[in-house]
Each structure stands twice: as C-alpha cells, then as structure tokens.
Amino acid sequence: MPGMDEVLAARRAARASRSQSRANVVSVFILVVSILIGVGITAATQNPGWFVIFVIGGFFFSQSPKIAKQWERAVVLHLGKYTGLRGPGLFWIMPFVETISIYIDQRVITTSFAAEETLTSDTVPVNVDAVLFWMVHDSEKAALEVQDYAQAVSWAAQTGLRDIIGRTSLSDLLRGRERIEAELQALIDQRSNPWGVTVQSVEMRDIVIPTSLQDAMSREAQASREKSARIILGQAEVEIAQLFFEAAKSYENNPTALHLRAMNILYEGLKEKGALMVVPSNVVESMGLGGMMGAAALRQQTMSDANPKPASAAG
C-alpha cells in the first residue's frame, strides 16, 4: 500500500490539475464557433487551410475566458510571476502567458484531526479526536506563503493538539475541555495566521483512555460515593442523637408528658390486629399503664369476637 506522503502528493497533484484544466461554457462556445466558421469558409473556398487556422485560433482564444465561483478567488501568474487575484465570475487571461495556479476556497472548511497514543503530563496514553473550523481570509498569502495551505493547517492542528496534551494532566483534560479547546484554537490560529488562515473554533469530539484505567477510575468513583454515603449516614446519626438528648431533657422535668408518650407508643404497637408487645412489670407500675393495657387488650378481644374466623369444612 502507498505511504501517507505518496497519498498526499497524489491529492495535491490532482487538485492542481483540476484547478488548471477547468472547462467553462464560454471557452466551449468560442471553440465551437471557431470550428463552424472554419467549416463554412472551407466549404466556400474549398481550401482546408482555413479550417486548420480557425481551429487553432479557436483553441487559442478558448483558453482565455475563466470562471471562478462565488466563494472562490483565482491566483493568476504571468510567466510564473504573481499578478493578482481574479473572480468571482467571468474574467479573461492571456492564453499560455498567464496561468491560474490555484483556486482558493474562501468558505468555512472543516478538518478532522486526531492525536493517537499521546502521553499526558502524568504519563497516561490517550486518543483524542477533534474537529477544526477554519477559513482563508487572505487568498494571496494562502497561495504564496505555503505550498498546500489545507494540509499545513491539518498538520498544525495535529501537532498543536499533541503539544497541549503533553502539558495537561488527565484530570484537567477530562474536566477542562472548554479551556483546552480555547487554548488549542489560539495556538493553531497563531501558527496559521501567516498563511492567511483564521481559525473559528475547535471542538473535541472524544477522549479515549485505556480500558484498565477506565475500570480503576470507575472503582475509585464508587468508593468515593460509598464514603460520602457513610459520612452522610454518620451525620444523620449524630443529629438524631442530639434530638433524642433534647427530648430527654424535656421529659426529665415533665413525667406526665413522658407517660403520654409511652401511652402513644403502646397504642401504635397494639392498634394493628394480631400485634403483641411485651412490657416489663416495673414499667407498667411506674407509668400506670395497667389500666390502659387492659383496655387495649379488651378492645382487641372485642374486635376478634366481632369478626370470628369461619369454621373449616369437615373432611
């Protein structure tokens, strides 16, 4: 398979050939009209020399009209010397003396680039994918200051991304995307401005870290959450103990309130059907709960008699 340099060279050659051999309707019209005139004069004079002359002349003059699209600027060279930019629309050049070296696209261009297996400042290998949005603001510099401005911008973006990753820790890389994107945009813009190129924005699409490190970070996050949960539970226990301490102070000087609270606790425990609560005898005597417990038991017995269980059918 061909190497990367060979592929890039082939792309540049194809681009250059397309820029210099653009056909347009005006050139075709001039050539067709010249051929028709040559055929007519040849038929009238019976001299084929006129046909040859008009065909050669039509081919010569058909090289003069050029058309640049609305978003393009054509770089014109006069015998190899830069003379200026032409376009958009129809313009004329001197055939075989002036040539179009390249058509500069002035629209916003997107370029994807990546940094593979690049070490961060804490020696963690990462793969980062990003997209660059840029445009040519000075067509003259893009044509004269750099051989292939599109490829130069791509390499500047890739080397800039590697440089920033090497100076950034993994935690900062994962948490501070906006800061890194702004720093990368400024770095690429600084390198590409002499080429007539300006960078509008840089967007980081994905950051891939090793699988083993992902597992370790996941376990660390789980341990951190468990630690936070236990701390919150301990703080809740402390608050509950403080509330119980304050409640005990209130009940200490108010036995009636304590008895009412005890009666409420017993009621909550006995109101459900079938509930059973064992209370020490000394507590019953000290709080006077015998009458209340008897009343509660009598009520429960009354409810049981009112709703007797159906007798089982004889076998």
Side-chain angles (χ1 to χ4, degrees):
M1 295 180 64
M4 182 60 67
D5 295 337
E6 297 177 2
V7 173
L8 296 177
R11 290 180 179 177
R12 286 195 295 267
R15 190 183 302 114
S17 63
R18 288 195 300 268
S19 65
Q20 294 179 358
S21 62
R22 281 188 174 187
N24 58 77
V25 64
V26 180
S27 298
V28 173
F29 177 77
I30 292 175
L31 182 59
V32 170
V33 170
S34 299
I35 294 174
L36 293 177
I37 294 175
V39 170
I41 295 178
T42 300
T45 61
Q46 298 297 320
N47 185 0
W50 290 106
F51 177 77
V52 175
I53 291 174
F54 275 93
V55 169
I56 294 176
F59 178 76
F60 179 82
F61 286 106
S62 66
Q63 303 300 312
S64 180
K66 302 292 181 182
I67 295 178
K69 298 175 182 177
Q70 180 64 38
W71 55 86
E72 291 179 334
R73 298 296 182 269
V75 179
V76 180
L77 301 180
H78 183 85
L79 296 178
K81 184 179 180 180
Y82 172 77
T83 58
L85 300 173
R86 305 289 178 84
L90 176 65
F91 61 94
W92 301 80
I93 64 174
M94 189 178 298
F96 303 106
V97 177
E98 294 181 338
T99 57
I100 306 298
S101 64
I102 190 173
Y103 289 88
I104 304 295
D105 192 335
Q106 292 191 319
R107 294 175 295 181
V108 176
I109 302 173
T110 59
T111 301
S112 61
F113 60 100
E116 299 180 356
E117 298 295 331
T118 305
L119 293 178
T120 61
S121 61
D122 47 357
T123 65
V124 177
V126 295
N127 297 334
V128 180
D129 293 330
V131 179
L132 178 68
F133 298 87
W134 59 279
M135 65 177 297
V136 177
H137 69 87
D138 192 333
S139 300
E140 181 179 345
K141 289 183 178 181
L144 302 180
E145 300 297 333
V146 63
Q147 180 181 9
D148 188 343
Y149 64 92
Q151 191 61 37
V153 170
S154 177
W155 284 119
Q158 186 173 1
T159 54
L161 179 59
R162 287 181 176 272
D163 185 21
I164 290 179
I165 291 175
R167 294 187 278 107
T168 307
S169 64
L170 179 61
S171 58
D172 293 338
L173 188 64
L174 295 175
R175 298 173 184 172
R177 283 196 177 191
E178 294 181 358
R179 179 186 62 81
I180 294 174
E181 289 172 352
E183 184 178 354
L184 181 59
Q185 177 182 349
L187 179 60
I188 301 173
D189 206 21
Q190 180 182 3
R191 294 180 179 179
S192 59
N193 262 333
W195 308 330
V197 174
T198 181
V199 178
Q200 292 191 338
S201 65
V202 179
E203 302 291 339
M204 296 176 63
R205 294 188 298 181
D206 193 14
I207 301 175
V208 181
I209 61 178
T211 305
S212 58
L213 184 58
Q214 292 181 20
D215 297 338
M217 293 176 65
S218 176
R219 291 194 299 270
E220 180 182 0
Q222 291 177 2
S224 178
R225 290 189 176 92
E226 185 176 355
K227 175 184 176 182
S228 301
R230 293 186 177 183
I231 291 175
I232 293 173
L233 181 60
Q235 292 175 349
E237 292 291 340
V238 172
E239 293 176 2
I240 292 172
Q242 183 66 27
L243 293 175
F244 279 152
F245 178 73
E246 294 177 0
K249 285 184 177 180
S250 301
Y251 292 139
E252 182 178 5
N253 299 321
N254 195 345
T256 304
L258 179 60
H259 290 171
L260 292 174
R261 178 58 180 160
M263 292 170 63
N264 183 69
I265 292 174
L266 287 174
Y267 171 75
E268 293 293 336
L270 296 173
K271 71 178 180 178
E272 296 295 335
K273 185 177 180 180
L276 177 64
M277 178 173 290
V278 179
V279 181
S281 59
N282 57 350
V283 175
V284 175
E285 295 173 357
S286 62
M287 294 185 179
L289 300 178
M292 188 203 71
M293 292 182 66
L298 179 61
R299 180 175 180 276
Q300 186 173 359
Q301 181 64 33
T302 304
M303 292 177 62
S304 299
D305 295 340
N307 299 307
K309 294 182 180 180
S312 60

